[in-house]
Amino acid sequence: MKNAFQLIALLSLIVTAPLLANTIYKTVQADGTVVYSDVPSRDSVPVNMVLSNNVIIPKLADPMTTGQDISEIKQPTTQYQITVLSPRPQETIRNNNGEVNINFEITPDYVGKSYLLVDNQVVNTKGKTQIKLNNVERGEHFIEVQLRDNSGKIFASSGKQSFYLHKASALINAN
């Protein structure tokens, strides 16, 4: 029984020791310097420490409740329209060399870089609105023209459209 009492006393001391060590003392020295310590000294005052930190996060302004006009929030200054002129949607192009001419227009005029995607692969347009593709395989292909900002975000697009490339069969005798 005596050993059990000693064990309980030892466990309670181990559990409460960290709580006793959390007392912090504040001392203001003669020159005005403030010193904090866990050891009490002459003229020290215990500091009341709160064990949990609470932070109140301010509520973000909601344009729906503040009465702010939604049209004023991050609206692009210019709306661009991209139109693919050729090939027309679902047009069949007959070219045995696999050459396809892509023509598009951007209104109003745009001086930045445009991106032509052929089958979801970017083709460098070098700022041109007329691009000639070479060695295109026969079959269905998808094209799309995009305008992107410096971060790569798309702010205008022609939308995907398909065209078909038809090549005469190499098995047909030309004679």
Side-chain angles (χ1 to χ4, degrees):
M1 185 75 161
K2 186 177 178 182
N3 288 340
F5 178 72
Q6 288 176 344
L7 182 62
I8 291 172
L10 181 64
L11 287 175
S12 64
L13 183 61
I14 291 172
V15 170
T16 59
L19 297 175
L20 296 174
N22 283 338
T23 304
I24 303 294
Y25 299 95
K26 176 182 174 183
T27 306
V28 179
Q29 297 179 344
D31 64 351
T33 306
V34 178
V35 176
Y36 292 95
S37 174
D38 61 347
V39 178
S41 65
R42 192 174 58 90
D43 300 329
S44 65
V45 178
V47 177
N48 186 14
M49 298 292 292
V50 179
L51 295 179
S52 64
N53 289 331
N54 294 327
V55 178
I56 299 173
I57 300 174
K59 186 176 180 182
L60 298 175
D62 183 8
M64 301 303 277
T65 59
T66 60
Q68 184 179 3
D69 188 8
I70 295 176
S71 64
E72 296 175 6
I73 301 173
K74 292 187 181 180
Q75 292 293 327
T77 56
T78 306
Q79 295 290 329
Y80 291 97
Q81 179 69 35
I82 304 171
T83 306
V84 176
L85 303 173
S86 70
R88 294 182 308 277
Q90 299 186 355
E91 178 180 354
T92 299
I93 300 170
R94 290 173 170 74
N95 189 302
N96 290 338
N97 297 325
E99 297 172 348
V100 178
N101 292 313
I102 310 285
N103 296 316
F104 60 91
E105 69 178 0
I106 303 170
T107 52
D109 288 337
Y110 179 70
V111 293
K113 187 174 181 183
S114 57
Y115 295 84
L116 171 65
L117 282 74
V118 179
D119 297 330
N120 291 322
Q121 299 295 317
V122 175
V123 176
N124 187 3
T125 62
K126 298 179 183 174
K128 298 179 181 177
T129 59
Q130 297 179 351
I131 297 103
K132 182 177 182 180
L133 303 176
N134 295 310
N135 301 318
V136 179
E137 295 295 321
R138 66 170 41 154
E140 181 179 27
H141 299 280
F142 295 93
I143 58 172
E144 179 179 9
V145 180
Q146 298 175 344
L147 301 180
R148 301 178 187 176
D149 63 13
N150 291 338
S151 67
K153 183 178 178 184
I154 300 168
F155 63 89
S157 172
S158 65
K160 281 187 180 180
Q161 71 181 49
S162 64
F163 71 90
Y164 304 93
L165 182 65
H166 177 78
K167 292 182 180 180
S169 174
L171 299 176
I172 298 176
N173 190 351
N175 292 334

